[in-house]
Amino acid sequence: MTDFYRLVYTILAPFIRFFFPRRVVGLENLPEGGAILCPNHASFWDPFVVAMALPVDSRLTVMAKDELFHYPVVGWFLRKVGAFPVKRGGSDLAAMKTALRALGDGSRLLIFPEGTRVEEQGEAEAKGGAAVLSTRTKTPMIPVWCGPKHKLFRRTTVVFGAPYTPQVAGRRATSEESRQASEEILHRIYALSEVDGWK
């Protein structure tokens, strides 16, 4: 974890918690080593809400859409806080290698399985990237519910679910096994929406 990330976390955390009050449930589900965090994606603020729900020393790495890195200042900032680009709509070998390296180093890799923002379950199918990484490295996927579209001062419960590591027959997952694992993690994410941490 870089000093720059710690600085940004320290500055942003109070603002995020003030404007988007949230209660965190299930941090005990996070393993000590590498993990693939898989949240739902309803809002631009989701990466910040999830990051600020984690301890500052979580070694978080974020896979973000390539278009964001085309803006010089934004791209510089994202790289400094540990994000890396992925080109959507196809196989991005460079992004996969970066993700594999991060998991190998014991980082927690944040990937939005739906690949884009959606307001309701079923608007987008889960992409296969998280499942492929999980089956290839035997790293657990952690379903994360971070609430619906965030509104100022609306209370949200961020829920980290139980680890899920897909089982495959061979050394690598088949396309069907990856599809099934992708559907399963998406199901587990939205099942967490029923948890009410404000009771």
Side-chain angles (χ1 to χ4, degrees):
M1 191 60 60
T2 66
D3 290 339
F4 185 81
Y5 180 91
R6 291 179 182 277
L7 175 63
V8 171
Y9 184 102
T10 302
I11 293 172
L12 285 184
F15 290 96
I16 295 296
R17 292 166 184 166
F18 176 75
F19 288 110
F20 304 108
R22 83 286 182 280
R23 185 161 295 179
V24 182
V25 177
L27 280 177
E28 67 276 6
N29 288 321
L30 296 176
E32 289 296 327
I36 304 171
L37 306 183
C38 300
N40 66 300
H41 196 12
S43 169
F44 166 84
W45 294 103
D46 292 333
F48 300 96
V49 170
V50 174
M52 300 304 153
L54 295 165
V56 67
D57 58 351
S58 290
R59 299 191 67 184
L60 184 65
T61 301
V62 181
M63 180 183 285
K65 63 181 181 180
D66 179 71
E67 293 89 338
L68 294 174
F69 292 81
H70 294 174
Y71 303 98
V73 176
V74 175
W76 173 86
F77 176 83
L78 291 174
R79 292 183 190 279
K80 291 287 286 184
V81 296
F84 65 94
V86 59
K87 296 177 181 177
R88 298 184 295 178
S91 178
D92 188 337
L93 294 180
M96 291 296 286
K97 288 180 179 179
T98 302
L100 289 169
R101 187 163 53 250
L103 293 173
D105 290 339
S107 295
R108 289 168 176 166
L109 179 63
L110 177 63
I111 299 178
F112 292 101
E114 290 160 307
T116 188
R117 292 196 296 271
V118 299
E119 294 193 7
E120 295 184 5
Q121 182 179 4
E123 290 184 4
E125 295 181 353
K127 305 299 185 290
V132 170
L133 288 167
S134 177
T135 55
R136 184 172 297 184
T137 63
K138 307 302 180 187
T139 301
M141 292 187 284
I142 309 296
V144 183
W145 170 255
C146 59
K149 190 171 183 178
H150 302 292
K151 297 180 180 179
L152 290 177
F153 308 112
R154 178 176 178 175
R155 300 191 302 181
T156 297
T157 300
V158 180
V159 188
F160 295 88
Y164 165 58
T165 305
Q167 301 301 310
V168 298
R171 291 180 63 248
R172 292 191 178 183
T174 64
S175 58
E176 177 61 20
E177 287 172 331
S178 293
R179 184 190 64 78
Q180 291 176 355
S182 299
E183 291 180 353
E184 177 62 21
I185 192 62
L186 202 60
H187 169 76
R188 293 180 181 225
I189 292 167
Y190 282 96
L192 297 174
S193 65
E194 299 179 4
V195 176
D196 187 354
W198 293 95
K199 291 182 179 178

